[in-house]
């Protein structure tokens, strides 16, 4: 059955609920925020909420989609610069991931909380795994496009590079939150990036995911 495009009014309602959820999750955490809290912040009834989202889990998945689309857009924009070198393209991937984490610490906290929830809840785990795969697939696609347009091949499979980039960006952001001042912004990225690229000087192996 073909998908039905939401009406402008329904799309606006969803966006308003997602915005409210982002704010309430930041204030109370995933576990502490209730559907009632989110409805009150959005100015909607529970009926309006449940006509758009089945649960708080779906809210996080919706926010995750927004977050991933914004990250991919930043990488595409950075990689499209005509004066960028192959190494610049790879650095742009790290910059887009780590910059987003720095500007949105509350998103890192929310996804950490939701990951713990997903580990304990089979249904949430399946949905979260599926979403993470979608995010990685989108990032692999944009990285492959960026490096291929400049005749670059990564020294590892693209999906491995994307996983490493995501893990490094998230881990670095987590350490800065837990131990402020222990790391300069971008310190781990600047240290580890040359090591990742040294596997073939950025030109050694295929980009297949």
């Amino acid at each position: 059955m073909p998908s039905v495009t939401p009406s402008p009014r329904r799309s606006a309602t969803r966006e308003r609920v997602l915005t409210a959820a982002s704010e309430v999750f930041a204030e109370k955490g995933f576990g502490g925020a209730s559907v009632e809290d989110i409805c009150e912040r959005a100015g909607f009834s529970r009926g309006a909420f449940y006509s758009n989202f089945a649960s708080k889990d779906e809210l996080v998945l919706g926010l995750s989609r927004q977050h991933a689309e914004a990250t991919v857009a930043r990488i595409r924009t950075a990689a499209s610069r005509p004066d960028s070198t192959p190494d610049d393209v790879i650095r742009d991937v790290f910059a887009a991931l780590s910059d987003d984490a720095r500007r949105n610490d509350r998103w890192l906290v929310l996804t950490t909380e939701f990951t713990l929830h997903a580990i304990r809840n089979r249904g949430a785990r399946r949905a979260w795994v599926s979403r993470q795969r979608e995010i990685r697939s989108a990032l692999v696609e944009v990285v492959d496009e960026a490096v291929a347009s400049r005749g670059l091949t990564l020294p590892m499979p693209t999906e491995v590079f994307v996983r490493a980039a995501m893990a490094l960006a998230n881990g670095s952001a987590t350490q800065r939150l837990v131990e402020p001042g222990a790391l300069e912004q971008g310190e781990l990225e600047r240290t580890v990036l040359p090591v990742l690229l040294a596997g073939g000087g950025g030109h050694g192996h295929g980009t297949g995911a």
Side-chain angles (χ1 to χ4, degrees):
M1 179 180 296
S3 60
V4 177
T5 302
S7 68
R9 182 177 179 180
R10 184 179 180 87
S11 295
T13 298
R14 286 179 60 86
E15 289 301 310
R16 194 162 151 187
V17 172
L18 286 170
T19 298
S22 178
E23 295 171 356
V24 175
F25 286 150
E27 296 168 7
K28 299 187 176 184
F30 175 76
S34 67
V35 170
E36 289 76 12
D37 292 330
I38 295 167
C39 289
E40 181 178 354
R41 182 66 58 89
F44 290 126
S45 66
R46 287 172 60 90
F49 176 92
Y50 284 114
S51 68
N52 287 278
F53 300 96
S55 63
K56 289 195 302 179
D57 288 12
E58 281 198 8
L59 284 175
V60 177
L61 296 173
L63 290 169
S64 177
R65 182 180 298 279
Q66 289 182 337
H67 193 269
E69 289 173 351
T71 299
V72 169
R74 282 197 303 276
I75 294 174
R76 286 189 188 279
T77 298
S80 65
R81 295 179 308 182
D83 59 339
S84 61
T85 67
D87 284 357
D88 287 336
V89 172
I90 306 306
R91 288 187 177 88
D92 287 337
V93 176
F94 276 87
L97 291 168
S98 62
D99 178 66
D100 191 72
R102 286 194 293 268
R103 290 188 297 107
N104 294 283
D105 289 345
R106 67 183 187 180
W107 174 248
L108 176 66
V109 173
L110 173 59
T111 53
T112 300
E113 291 178 326
F114 191 76
T115 297
L116 292 174
H117 166 68
I119 289 172
R120 300 184 179 103
N121 183 292
R122 182 176 299 177
R125 183 168 66 249
R126 285 197 298 266
W128 195 229
V129 167
S130 178
R131 178 50 47 82
Q132 294 303 304
R133 285 174 177 165
E134 290 176 7
I135 293 171
R136 287 196 304 272
S137 178
L139 289 173
V140 165
E141 180 180 347
V142 73
V143 171
D144 276 343
E145 289 175 1
V147 298
S149 67
R150 289 160 177 79
L152 171 70
T153 54
L154 295 174
M156 65 190 74
T158 313
E159 183 168 344
V160 173
F161 172 77
V162 167
R163 283 180 179 269
M166 294 174 69
L168 181 60
N170 289 336
S172 179
T174 299
Q175 291 182 47
R176 287 195 298 272
L177 279 176
V178 173
E179 194 176 358
L183 288 171
E184 294 181 6
Q185 287 188 350
E187 181 179 349
L188 285 181
E189 291 87 341
R190 289 193 301 271
T191 302
V192 174
L193 178 59
V195 177
L196 286 178
L197 296 179
H203 304 274
H205 302 286
T207 60

